[in-house]
């Protein structure tokens, strides 16, 4: 499938119209419920258009929110004495639908040119069984493409221009049209805030602009101390220099390219410049580190502490102290100050953050709503640095901010002036292929790391992820992973085009227990990485055996139980099943149940339902009272800390969570206090973002779905640190998924290119 489909998700975001924090109440859209809609005259008859949208809602093609929004447009038009235009109502519902699928807007030109792929309506899932035969027949005959086939772009623009519910943004209208893009006003404002925030920072003069200036010379000397690579071009060093020069910058790169090391060195270089700067009188920058989820924050916490400890601070100018480089990472919501039951934050333009430099890791997960809030909360002169992999899955909610900002990152497009400056500061000659006299201002602030330090040149994980990412998954690569020609990758049922579903489900369960090391070359034995022999791949038996063989008693001190929990949590991270879907036999819900029952049959867990020792749980919502964030993983233990009435030790279930602050501490939480959690023998690829596992198993279903995209496959593969296994319900699904790419409609890149 050459054209692409973006994934759907069940967003609960309301469509605010700037009249308050929530959408005004809308009445259900009237219309007959049990008759097929006549296609003739649909867009000249308000009743027929309303009935059609109602039917599409009944078929679950549209959300109630989408149809309710169209009804709101109708009511607002009538209140202002305007006869509602059926085409405007249709476009309003479809725009809301696109927001639910992760788009910031709907591009009318694309909508009319390729309705099916733009909307993915009807969805590939079958219409639910509650529809009558007449409803199902009418819906099967009338699809958006049929309805819009005779509509032109001029028709849409004329209808929108004639509606009081639409403006160019200069009026407070629920819909905003910009060129061929139609927005819900709230999302138009988000995009505008982000673009303005970036442009304003790119336009600020830099004290480092002149290579011969004292600050620039300090930067150059500091970078020479921090980077001593033998490579002819050190892209980490170039990225540091580029980011130091701009008040807004992006550093992108794949797994293992050293994004954390680069940003730690960058912060040290900036503090060195600040310490030598007369303008700052030796005052260091106030720096904050943030990530979009608790899991991503915890992972950066773990890695950044080690990177900071390796800094040669005594060899750097500026009298940098260890405390000048922060190691504590917080979630963006906590940083901005979440307020219950509202999208608004405590920190905003009227109450900005006390920060000079803000670093956001895993920025691909940040949606337009949250990114706009970041710019609102930043002081005007504050520096913003985004880190992330541009090729990973975009945010769950609307927008793909990092992906848009990095659209031109591969070829860099540095102007000759930027290239000369980089050479003067770093001593590295910028490759000619990365120089473009027509480079845009944003290009001069985006750096791409191009060398992977995690994967060796012959790594299968690297080869497979590269092939997926470049849409080059040819027969040669598929043959290599089928035949286990790589040391670190195996396709467990790759010899069968469409294996038996029951046999495949049983294979997943067996694999979940042992990790099937025998399927890898040399049974996973003897593999050496960075002069260290790796243990062979494992499954969930690994952490469960570690739990069972602990040897602790009721007299063991709490510190011993904490140490056991650390070992078990580390062992659990040695294996993880990832799924593309949530529901069904190939999704998280089905596989979690099936794997649990298989573990019970093998006597590795005491039960397969409810709470039990050994149950791994994933936190699915932020709980600031408990200090737990969405994405945190804990393991349930039986601990003998309570006492019976007679004073005898009594086993009690507690869930052990890592503290997430790189100290190695453990928090023990009662299961009754965990309100948002689920079993996590299997998790979705989306939930795995910001994590990595020693051995990752990616399970793909037996049929293609809109959620199966190149970005999802790439993200799933690159969660694997040392071992990767693949199980498919249909081998063709892997190849077809790579042909589907997430392309989210937005105008951010266009706004920035226009300056």
């Amino acid at each position: 499938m050459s054209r692409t489909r973006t994934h759907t998700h069940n967003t609960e975001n309301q469509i605010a119209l700037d009249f308050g924090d929530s959408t005004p109440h809308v009445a259900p859209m009237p219309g007959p419920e049990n008759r097929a809609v006549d296609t003739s005259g649909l867009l000249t008859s308000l009743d027929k258009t309303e009935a059609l949208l109602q039917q599409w809602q009944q078929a679950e093609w549209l959300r109630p929110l989408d149809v309710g929004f169209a009804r709101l447009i109708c009511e607002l038009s009538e209140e202002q004495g305007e006869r509602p235009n059926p085409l405007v109502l249709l476009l309003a519902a479809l725009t809301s639908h696109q927001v639910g699928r992760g788009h910031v807007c709907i591009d009318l030109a694309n909508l009319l040119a390729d309705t099916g792929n733009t909307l993915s309506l009807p969805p590939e899932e079958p219409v639910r069984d509650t529809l009558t035969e007449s409803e199902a027949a009418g819906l099967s005959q009338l699809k958006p493409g049929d309805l819009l086939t005779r509509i032109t772009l001029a028709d849409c623009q004329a209808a929108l221009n004639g509606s009081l519910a639409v403006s160019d943004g200069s009026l407070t209208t629920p819909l905003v049209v910009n060129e061929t893009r139609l927005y819900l006003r709230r999302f138009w404002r988000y995009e505008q805030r982000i673009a303005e925030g970036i442009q304003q920072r790119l336009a600020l003069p830099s004290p480092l602009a002149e290579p011969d200036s004292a600050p620039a010379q300090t930067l150059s000397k500091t970078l020479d101390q921090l980077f001593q690579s033998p490579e002819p071009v050190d892209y980490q060093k170039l990225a540091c220099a580029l980011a130091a020069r701009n008040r807004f910058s992006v550093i992108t790169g794949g797994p293992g390219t050293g994004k954390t090391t680069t940003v730690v060195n960058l912060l040290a270089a900036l503090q060195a410049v600040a310490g030598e700067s007369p303008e700052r009188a030796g005052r260091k920058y106030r720096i904050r580190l943030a990530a979009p989820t608790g899991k991503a924050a915890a992972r950066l916490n773990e890695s950044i502490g080690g990177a900071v400890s390796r800094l040669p601070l005594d060899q750097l100018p500026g009298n940098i102290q260890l405390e000048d480089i922060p190691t504590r990472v917080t979630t963006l919501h906590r940083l901005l100050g979440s307020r219950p039951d509202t999208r608004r934050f405590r920190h905003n333009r009227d109450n900005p953050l006390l920060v000079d430099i803000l670093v956001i890791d895993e920025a691909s997960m940040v949606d337009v709503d949250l990114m706009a809030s970041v710019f609102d909360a930043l002081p005007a002169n504050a520096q913003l640095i985004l880190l992330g992999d541009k090729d990973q899955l975009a945010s769950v909610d609307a927008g793909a901010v990092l992906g848009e900002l990095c659209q031109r990152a591969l070829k860099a497009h540095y102007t000759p002036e930027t290239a000369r400056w980089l050479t003067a500061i770093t001593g590295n000659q910028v490759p000619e292929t990365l120089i473009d006299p027509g480079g845009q201002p944003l290009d001069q602030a985006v750096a791409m790391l191009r060398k992977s330090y995690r994967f060796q040149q012959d790594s299968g994980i690297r080869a497979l992820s590269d092939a997926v990412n470049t849409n080059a998954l040819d027969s040669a690569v598929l043959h290599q992973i089928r035949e286990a020609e790589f040391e670190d990758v195996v396709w467990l049922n790759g010899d069968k085009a469409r294996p038996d579903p029951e046999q495949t489900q049983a294979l997943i369960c067996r694999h979940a227990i042992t990790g099937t090391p025998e399927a890898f070359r040399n049974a996973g034995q003897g593999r050496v990485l960075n002069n260290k022999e790796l243990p062979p791949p494992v499954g969930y038996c690994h952490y469960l055996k570690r739990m069972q063989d602990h040897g602790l008693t009721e007299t063991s001190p709490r510190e011993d139980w904490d140490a056991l929990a650390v070992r078990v949590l580390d062992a659990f991270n040695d294996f993880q099943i990832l799924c593309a879907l949530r529901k069904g036999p190939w999704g998280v819900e089905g596989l979690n149940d099936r794997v649990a029952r298989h573990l019970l049959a093998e006597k590795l867990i005491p039960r397969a339902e409810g709470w039990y020792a050994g149950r791994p749980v994933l936190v699915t919502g932020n709980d600031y009272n408990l200090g737990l964030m969405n994405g945190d993983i804990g393991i349930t233990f039986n601990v003998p800390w309570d006492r019976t009435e007679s004073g005898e030790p009594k086993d009690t279930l507690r869930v052990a969570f890592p503290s997430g602050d790189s100290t190695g501490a453990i928090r023990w939480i009662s299961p009754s206090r965990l309100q948002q959690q689920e079993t996590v023998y299997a998790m979705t690829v989306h939930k795995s973002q910001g994590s990595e596992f020693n051995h990752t198993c990616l399970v793909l279903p037996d049929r293609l779905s809109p959620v199966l995209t190149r970005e999802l496959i790439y993200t799933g593969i690159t969660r694997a640190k040392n071992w990767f296994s693949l199980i498919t319900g249909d081998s063709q699904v892997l190849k077809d998924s790579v042909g589907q790419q997430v392309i989210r409609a937005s105008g951010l890149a266009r706004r920035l290119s226009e300056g």
Side-chain angles (χ1 to χ4, degrees):
M1 197 176 291
S2 58
R3 277 291 296 183
T4 63
R5 292 186 178 172
T6 56
H7 64 275
T8 60
H9 58 85
N10 294 322
T11 180
E12 297 298 328
N13 285 354
Q14 291 183 314
I15 310 299
L17 306 178
D18 294 324
F19 304 136
D21 274 348
S22 62
T23 305
H25 172 74
V26 293
M29 182 168 285
E33 296 184 355
N34 293 307
R35 64 180 176 88
V37 178
D38 179 10
T39 60
S40 62
L42 267 175
L43 295 181
T44 59
S45 168
L46 188 61
D47 289 341
K48 289 181 179 179
T49 303
E50 290 179 336
L52 176 70
L53 294 179
Q54 187 71 27
Q55 282 196 321
W56 284 356
Q57 177 189 325
Q58 290 174 328
E60 296 182 353
W61 295 4
L62 297 180
R63 302 169 300 170
L65 186 60
D66 306 329
V67 180
F69 180 67
R71 182 61 189 167
L72 177 62
I73 298 296
C74 182
E75 291 178 355
L76 291 175
S77 299
E78 290 174 340
E79 286 175 6
Q80 298 181 66
E82 180 184 59
R83 183 178 183 276
N85 188 316
L87 180 54
V88 173
L89 300 190
L90 175 68
L91 295 176
L94 296 181
T95 303
S96 176
H97 167 267
Q98 292 298 84
V99 168
R101 296 178 60 243
H103 298 275
V104 177
C105 60
I106 188 168
D107 190 304
L108 300 174
N110 289 341
L111 171 67
L112 298 175
D114 191 359
T115 305
N117 280 318
T118 300
L119 298 176
S120 287
L121 287 179
E124 294 190 2
E125 292 79 8
V127 174
R128 58 186 174 83
D129 297 334
T130 55
L131 291 181
T132 66
E133 288 186 13
S134 61
E135 287 177 322
L139 289 167
S140 66
Q141 293 168 10
L142 184 62
K143 299 180 175 61
D146 302 328
L147 185 60
L148 296 172
T149 185
R150 299 181 183 227
I151 303 299
T152 67
L153 182 58
D155 293 330
C156 293
Q157 291 173 325
L160 294 170
N161 290 338
S163 172
L164 295 176
V166 186
S167 73
D168 61 359
S170 58
L171 301 175
T172 306
T173 54
L175 288 167
V176 173
V177 65
N178 180 265
E179 297 180 345
T180 63
R181 297 181 297 276
L182 183 61
Y183 296 81
L184 305 182
R185 180 177 181 80
R186 179 160 65 91
F187 288 88
W188 174 78
R189 290 182 63 220
Y190 292 156
E191 187 174 278
Q192 191 177 43
R193 285 185 219 166
I194 295 169
E196 288 173 350
I198 293 173
Q199 289 167 338
Q200 177 255 327
R201 283 170 172 75
L202 292 179
L204 290 172
S206 172
L208 303 170
E210 294 300 326
D212 295 332
S213 67
Q217 287 298 304
T218 299
L219 174 65
S220 181
K221 292 174 185 176
T222 305
L223 294 179
D224 285 343
Q225 288 291 335
L226 293 170
F227 297 96
Q228 299 178 6
S229 170
E231 299 286 335
V233 180
D234 187 338
Y235 288 103
Q236 292 187 0
K237 191 176 186 181
L238 290 178
C240 273
L242 201 69
R245 188 174 74 157
N246 295 285
R247 298 290 177 87
F248 173 80
S249 58
V250 179
I251 299 175
T252 186
T257 52
K259 294 186 289 294
T260 301
T261 300
T262 301
V263 80
V264 167
N265 287 351
L266 168 61
L267 297 179
L270 288 170
Q271 293 291 40
V273 172
E276 298 282 292
S277 171
E279 291 82 3
R280 295 195 61 82
R283 289 181 292 109
K284 301 299 194 298
Y285 289 115
R286 295 168 298 182
I287 302 173
R288 298 295 302 271
L289 308 175
T293 67
K295 186 66 177 178
R299 184 180 169 198
L300 183 58
N301 256 327
E302 294 166 1
S303 59
I304 206 164
V308 170
S309 68
R310 293 190 293 271
L311 287 171
L313 296 181
D314 57 336
Q315 301 173 32
L316 303 181
N319 189 30
I320 306 173
Q321 304 300 310
L322 198 60
E323 59 268 21
D324 294 331
I325 313 297
T327 57
R328 183 177 180 183
V329 187
T330 186
T331 64
L332 274 174
H333 286 84
R334 185 183 288 277
L335 175 74
L336 297 175
S338 292
R339 295 166 61 184
D341 304 320
T342 176
R343 286 189 303 272
R344 301 182 188 276
F345 293 97
R346 184 164 53 86
H347 289 289
N348 50 42
R349 291 183 180 181
D350 298 324
N351 180 30
L353 292 163
L354 295 175
V355 63
D356 298 309
I357 300 172
L358 174 61
V359 178
I360 300 178
D361 193 26
E362 296 290 351
S364 63
M365 301 168 67
V366 183
D367 58 66
V368 289
D369 186 344
L370 189 55
M371 190 65 77
S373 297
V374 169
F375 279 102
D376 274 351
L378 278 179
N381 290 326
Q383 184 170 353
L384 177 61
I385 302 164
L386 303 182
L387 301 179
D389 186 344
K390 67 182 179 62
D391 299 313
Q392 278 191 31
L393 279 167
S395 58
V396 173
D397 289 314
V401 177
L402 186 74
E404 280 205 87
L405 297 177
C406 296
Q407 282 181 359
R408 292 159 57 90
L410 183 62
K411 295 185 177 180
H413 299 279
Y414 298 142
T415 63
E417 184 277 328
T418 296
R420 287 192 294 270
W421 185 88
L422 285 170
T423 298
I425 297 298
T426 67
N428 282 210
Q429 196 72 34
V430 178
E432 286 291 331
T433 55
L434 303 184
I435 300 176
D436 176 9
Q440 301 168 3
L442 176 62
D443 298 329
Q444 318 315 305
V446 178
M448 180 174 172
L449 306 180
R450 300 165 189 266
K451 177 179 173 60
S452 176
Y453 297 89
R454 178 186 302 175
F455 302 124
Q456 295 178 329
Q457 200 64 35
D458 60 350
S459 164
I461 296 173
R462 177 176 182 171
L464 183 57
S465 61
D466 285 349
V468 167
N469 198 27
T470 58
N471 197 17
L473 194 62
D474 55 24
S475 57
V477 175
L478 292 173
H479 175 80
Q480 286 177 295
I481 62 173
R482 277 193 181 102
E483 301 301 321
E485 293 185 7
F486 295 113
E487 284 188 312
D488 53 348
V489 172
V490 64
W491 190 354
L492 288 173
N493 59 347
D495 58 328
K496 300 175 182 178
R498 189 173 177 83
D500 177 82
E502 280 301 315
Q503 292 180 0
T504 304
Q505 295 285 324
L507 171 65
I508 295 170
C509 292
R510 293 195 302 272
H511 186 56
I513 291 180
T514 67
T516 323
E518 65 275 11
F520 290 82
R521 188 197 296 181
N522 300 323
Q525 300 283 349
R527 185 173 166 221
V528 176
L529 189 64
N530 297 326
N531 300 317
K532 183 179 179 181
E533 184 169 341
L534 293 175
V538 298
Y540 291 133
C541 179
H542 177 55
Y543 90 90
L544 289 168
K545 289 289 188 184
R546 187 166 290 186
M547 283 192 72
Q548 294 172 355
D549 302 335
H550 56 75
L552 300 181
T553 68
E554 65 272 10
T555 61
S556 299
R558 179 69 66 91
E559 291 78 12
D560 288 355
W561 285 96
D562 288 351
L564 171 65
V566 169
R567 294 195 301 272
V568 170
L569 285 163
D570 286 344
F572 182 78
N573 274 331
D574 281 335
F575 179 74
Q576 182 64 59
I577 296 174
L578 301 182
C579 304
L581 308 176
R582 280 206 59 82
K583 298 184 181 298
W586 302 97
V588 166
E589 294 177 5
L591 286 180
N592 271 321
D593 179 69
R594 192 149 188 164
V595 169
R597 294 184 184 283
H598 201 74
L599 292 170
L600 174 63
E602 295 292 322
K603 296 182 173 55
L604 290 168
I605 56 177
R607 54 187 299 182
E609 296 177 343
W611 288 99
Y612 53 85
R615 182 191 176 201
V617 293
L618 174 75
V619 176
T620 57
N622 294 341
D623 189 328
Y624 294 103
N625 292 325
L626 294 178
L628 296 176
M629 298 293 113
N630 187 3
D632 285 350
I633 291 178
I635 305 291
T636 311
F637 285 78
N638 251 334
V639 292
W641 299 336
D642 286 355
R643 292 288 185 268
T644 64
E645 292 183 1
S646 61
E648 294 295 318
K650 180 179 70 173
D651 282 347
T652 307
L653 291 175
R654 291 288 185 273
V655 186
F657 288 94
S659 63
D661 57 5
S662 73
T663 63
I666 292 293
R667 289 170 295 173
W668 297 90
I669 309 293
S670 171
S672 62
R673 300 186 67 192
L674 296 172
Q675 301 303 310
Q676 300 181 78
Q677 48 74 27
E678 62 187 23
T679 303
V680 69
Y681 296 118
M683 72 166 68
T684 61
V685 176
H686 273 97
K687 283 289 187 182
S688 75
Q689 285 185 271
S691 305
E692 67 178 16
F693 308 97
N694 191 41
H695 177 192
T696 298
C697 171
L698 179 61
V699 174
L700 297 181
D702 59 352
R703 66 188 65 187
L704 194 64
S705 163
V707 304
L708 288 163
T709 63
R710 182 184 309 173
E711 290 81 1
L712 183 137
I713 304 298
Y714 170 81
T715 303
I717 295 168
T718 55
R719 297 312 88 205
K721 186 176 180 180
N722 291 314
W723 308 97
F724 176 76
S725 50
L726 176 68
I727 300 177
T728 55
D730 185 334
S731 62
Q732 188 63 35
V733 168
L734 172 63
K735 291 178 279 187
D736 289 345
S737 298
V738 173
Q740 297 192 139
Q741 190 175 7
V742 175
I743 301 177
R744 289 187 167 178
S746 169
L748 179 61
R750 179 68 177 270
R751 287 176 189 265
L752 293 171
S753 68
E754 294 172 349

